[in-house]
Amino acid sequence: MKNKNFIIVLCFLIFALISSGGCGGSNSSQSRIERMVQDMTLEEKIGQMFIIRPEHLNSAMSADAIHRTITSCDIELNDVMIETLNKYPAGGFAFFTRNLQSPEQLKKFTDDLMDASVTIPFIAVDEEGGRVARIGNHGSFDVPKIPPMQEIGTSGDTSLAYAAGSIIGGYLSDYGFNLDFAPVADVNINPDNIVIGDRSFGSDPHLVSEMDSAFLSGLHSRGILGTLKHFPGHGDTTSDTHTGYVAIYKTWDELLQAELIPFIENFNNTDMVMIEHITLINITSDDLPASMSYQLITERLRNELNYDGVVITDSMEMGAINNAYPSGEATLKSIEAGVDIVLLPYDYRESFNAVLNAVKSGRISEQRINQSVQRIINLKIKIFNNY
């Protein structure tokens, strides 16, 4: 595995050099990416479509136990976890407060995960500023405190949003991260919203759009990828998908007038679009959460709005999904809907095997897997090109 890891990393480096103009090459970038994907095993390709918690690599524990028990696997990589990663080669890792102990511990942990992965992994975190900042709100890390995005939005000064992205991107880069699940692109329309609130830049969709663009540019200036969330908009809700089912009753035309504007205007700026778990009663007829809806992801987001970048689910551990669907089936429905990356499946091994078996049985084609992996590899090249 280590030898293959070295070869694949070398391929990434060579590709990055070619893409940045460092040497000649007659074939298109897309053709080179396709060849890289062809050289990967089916298991390696499937693994690229998951971002998991590091502790999901603890094969000695059930999924339920992993979620309720804190162990040393939360803060360091061990040999058992490396064995699991060799069998289930995840494409990335998301860090939470339980994974943070000290600057030295965190940097070693992210470095070790990078070294052990078969391809360059996404090392990700929710670092929005304000109340959602895993590192910024942790007492062991001396980093600048970023105010809530609502405060920045109220100023009307996009340079403050750029500075927030740049500052956050700077310390994320120092600790080995390459992906931030930020900025929030939700328009804070409903004053009774219990989920978004001051995480949003405000209630004016065009202001939110401009602030999102500046924040993303700030992240990019430090070599950090960004994520617009939560498509198609969580700003006009009063319930929380973290705990259970949430529906909205707006029409597509109504969303186009407000909630969708920050997304559409930043499709060319963002690196990922995160799909939330709300159910769109008057837009889709499948009665599925947005993160599982072919009608929303493929027909609306991809075909109508022409977004061809990476689509990632919101956390699949959340109650709106985990309370209603087995982990493996939830994963399959999301991939069938058009998702590229499944974020935090409740049971990673069950979900991985569900995709593997679905490809072998013909439920999902390997070509469908390849489409997502090509998008993912193309995005990972940006990490080397460092914008």
Side-chain angles (χ1 to χ4, degrees), residues 87-143:
K87 186 174 182 181
Y88 301 97
F93 305 93
F95 278 64
F96 291 83
T97 302
R98 64 189 281 181
N99 304 120
L100 311 177
Q101 186 178 69
S102 70
E104 296 76 21
Q105 165 270 331
L106 178 56
K107 186 63 171 69
K108 184 177 188 307
F109 200 4
T110 58
D111 284 348
D112 288 348
L113 284 168
M114 184 73 71
D115 291 342
S117 296
V118 70
T119 62
I120 300 305
F122 293 119
I123 306 292
V125 68
D126 287 286
E127 200 73 14
E128 301 171 8
R131 57 189 163 101
V132 180
R134 313 299 182 196
I135 298 171
N137 293 333
H138 195 293
S140 297
F141 292 82
D142 183 18
V143 299

Side-chain angles (χ1 to χ4, degrees), residues 103-310:
E104 296 76 21
Q105 165 270 331
L106 178 56
K107 186 63 171 69
K108 184 177 188 307
F109 200 4
T110 58
D111 284 348
D112 288 348
L113 284 168
M114 184 73 71
D115 291 342
S117 296
V118 70
T119 62
I120 300 305
F122 293 119
I123 306 292
V125 68
D126 287 286
E127 200 73 14
E128 301 171 8
R131 57 189 163 101
V132 180
R134 313 299 182 196
I135 298 171
N137 293 333
H138 195 293
S140 297
F141 292 82
D142 183 18
V143 299
K145 303 299 181 186
I146 304 299
M149 295 303 102
Q150 183 180 62
E151 183 177 324
I152 293 175
T154 300
S155 75
D157 186 350
T158 55
S159 71
L160 296 180
Y162 178 93
S166 178
I167 290 168
I168 289 172
Y171 67 73
L172 290 186
S173 180
D174 289 343
Y175 293 128
F177 291 92
N178 51 42
L179 171 62
D180 190 6
F181 294 135
V184 167
D186 301 302
V187 182
N188 193 30
I189 296 172
N190 193 328
D192 295 325
N193 192 308
I194 62 174
V195 183
I196 303 302
D198 65 359
R199 297 168 64 191
S200 167
F201 285 107
S203 59
D204 180 340
H206 295 287
L207 171 70
V208 172
S209 176
E210 292 172 0
M211 293 289 175
D212 283 332
S213 178
F215 188 100
L216 285 165
S217 294
L219 288 178
H220 293 165
S221 73
R222 299 304 188 100
I224 300 295
L225 307 177
T227 311
L228 284 180
K229 62 183 187 183
H230 309 79
F231 186 90
H234 212 315
D236 194 11
T237 61
T238 57
S239 301
D240 188 352
T241 47
H242 287 85
T243 56
Y245 176 87
V246 177
I248 63 170
Y249 297 86
K250 287 190 170 182
T251 66
W252 186 248
D253 285 341
E254 287 175 321
L255 292 183
L256 284 169
Q257 297 304 310
E259 284 91 338
L260 291 172
I261 288 173
F263 293 96
I264 293 171
E265 292 185 351
N266 281 290
F267 280 160
N268 291 331
N269 300 331
T270 191
D271 303 294
M272 294 184 184
V273 168
M274 180 180 286
I275 306 292
E276 61 181 325
H277 302 314
I278 60 172
T279 301
L280 309 168
I281 298 297
N282 291 319
I283 297 173
T284 61
S285 60
D286 51 25
D287 198 34
L288 291 169
S291 54
M292 297 181 181
S293 175
Y294 181 89
Q295 293 174 1
L296 178 73
I297 297 171
T298 296
E299 294 179 0
R300 295 288 193 175
L301 176 59
R302 293 225 187 268
N303 295 345
E304 181 178 333
L305 300 182
N306 297 315
Y307 177 71
D308 193 38
V310 169

Side-chain angles (χ1 to χ4, degrees), residues 26 30 41 52 72 99 101 110 121 130 161 170 193 231 316 329 360 377:
S26 58
Q30 187 60 34
T41 67
I52 64 172
S72 62
N99 304 120
Q101 186 178 69
T110 58
N193 192 308
F231 186 90
M316 302 292 273
E329 186 61 24
K360 290 180 177 179
I377 296 300

